[in-house]
Amino acid sequence: MLTGSRVAQPLRQRRIRPRFWLLDFYGSAIGKKAVMAVTGLLLLGFVLTHMLGNLHMYQDAEHMNHYGEYLRTIGEPILPHTGFLWIMRGGLILAFALHIHSAATLTLLNRQSRAVGYKGGRTYVAANYAARTMRWSGIIVGAYLLFHLMDLTWGVGVATSSYTRGTPYENLVASFQREPVAAVYIVANLLLGIHIYHGAWSLFQSLGWANPRFNDWRRMFAIGFAALVVVGNVSFPIAVMTGIVE
């Protein structure tokens, strides 16, 4: 054995730090479906609560404006003025972003797992119209939501001249007195109903609560929830245009 010669050392393997388990879970198709379902539940609760709150419009301006101010004072004095409202807005923005991201990445995963497309075209035997238009209805509703916030919450754009902060009743009536805005609002809510119907139907399956015995119940729940939200929301511009609410 020669002195001074180097002895071969075993190669060190680079230690790979494991990712946080939530990231691994979200990276799977099951995780993305679960996130879509949970965020969908939160958004369904918001659209229902938002519609019920706007029913104060049928009382009078005082009741609806008082309701709008009440939302700004929830949590006082522990929270600052509008503190709870901004926390709720932040949670909704996060839920909305996760809902969109999980839907988009899940679509990419499905495409990557199917290297070869459908031969002879795809036949929609199991998928219905609501499922096939889910992506586009979500995009259109999201775009209108942005316009709705600009019109009635931020007071920018076409409604700037008639917008008054702190008077949701007057702002809502002034907005729906413009027939093009009212028409777009009605169409957007019809698309929202389609989106809600498929989302309310599929969230049970995404959470693992699907059972063929409850399919009729799931369908009735999805139809009823979507119809309740759509009828309530569509009634607002119709009431303004017909003069029921002035």
Side-chain angles (χ1 to χ4, degrees):
M1 180 176 180
L2 298 176
T3 58
S5 61
R6 289 187 177 183
V7 178
Q9 297 292 333
L11 295 176
R12 288 187 176 182
Q13 293 183 352
R14 186 177 179 181
R15 187 175 181 181
I16 301 176
R17 181 180 297 178
R19 294 195 306 174
F20 186 47
W21 68 271
L22 274 177
L23 295 178
D24 288 332
F25 176 70
Y26 183 67
S28 65
I30 296 177
K32 294 181 186 302
K33 289 182 179 180
V35 170
M36 279 189 66
V38 173
T39 55
L41 275 173
L42 294 175
L43 295 174
L44 287 177
F46 166 72
V47 296
L48 177 63
T49 305
H50 184 265
M51 184 275 294
L52 294 175
N54 284 340
L55 290 176
H56 288 290
M57 184 185 74
Y58 289 113
Q59 292 178 290
D60 50 41
E62 181 181 357
H63 282 86
M64 187 167 184
N65 291 339
H66 176 73
Y67 167 71
E69 182 59 28
Y70 164 75
L71 294 178
R72 298 180 177 88
T73 60
I74 296 178
E76 291 183 353
I78 298 176
L79 295 176
H81 190 66
T82 72
F84 177 81
L85 196 59
W86 279 106
I87 293 174
M88 185 175 65
R89 287 170 177 170
L92 287 172
I93 291 173
L94 179 61
F96 196 71
L98 287 174
H99 195 73
I100 294 175
H101 185 269
S102 58
T105 52
L106 185 61
T107 300
L108 292 176
L109 281 178
N110 291 336
R111 289 179 177 177
Q112 291 172 359
S113 63
R114 187 184 301 113
V116 180
Y118 292 99
K119 295 182 179 180
R122 185 175 181 181
T123 56
Y124 295 97
V125 176
N128 55 23
Y129 178 79
R132 300 199 304 270
T133 59
M134 192 71 170
R135 184 189 313 165
W136 296 112
S137 63
I139 294 174
I140 295 172
V141 170
Y144 182 79
L145 175 62
L146 180 60
F147 168 78
H148 197 56
L149 289 172
M150 293 174 61
D151 191 28
L152 295 176
T153 303
W154 304 329
V156 297
V158 294
T160 305
S161 59
S162 59
Y163 177 82
T164 304
R165 184 174 297 276
T167 58
Y169 180 91
E170 288 79 2
N171 294 334
L172 191 67
V173 172
S175 179
F176 288 151
Q177 283 178 341
R178 298 168 294 169
E179 294 181 358
V181 174
V184 172
Y185 182 84
I186 292 173
V187 172
N189 272 278
L190 294 176
L191 292 174
L192 175 64
I194 295 174
H195 198 86
I196 288 177
Y197 166 73
H198 180 71
W201 162 264
S202 59
L203 68 86
F204 293 98
Q205 186 172 354
S206 299
L207 292 174
W209 300 340
N211 190 302
R213 294 180 300 173
F214 305 130
N215 281 349
D216 292 338
W217 180 87
R218 289 170 59 197
R219 183 174 292 104
M220 293 303 298
F221 169 77
I223 294 174
F225 194 97
L228 177 64
V229 172
V230 171
V231 171
N233 283 337
V234 169
S235 72
F236 303 138
I238 292 177
V240 172
M241 289 189 295
T242 56
I244 297 176
V245 174
E246 298 178 353

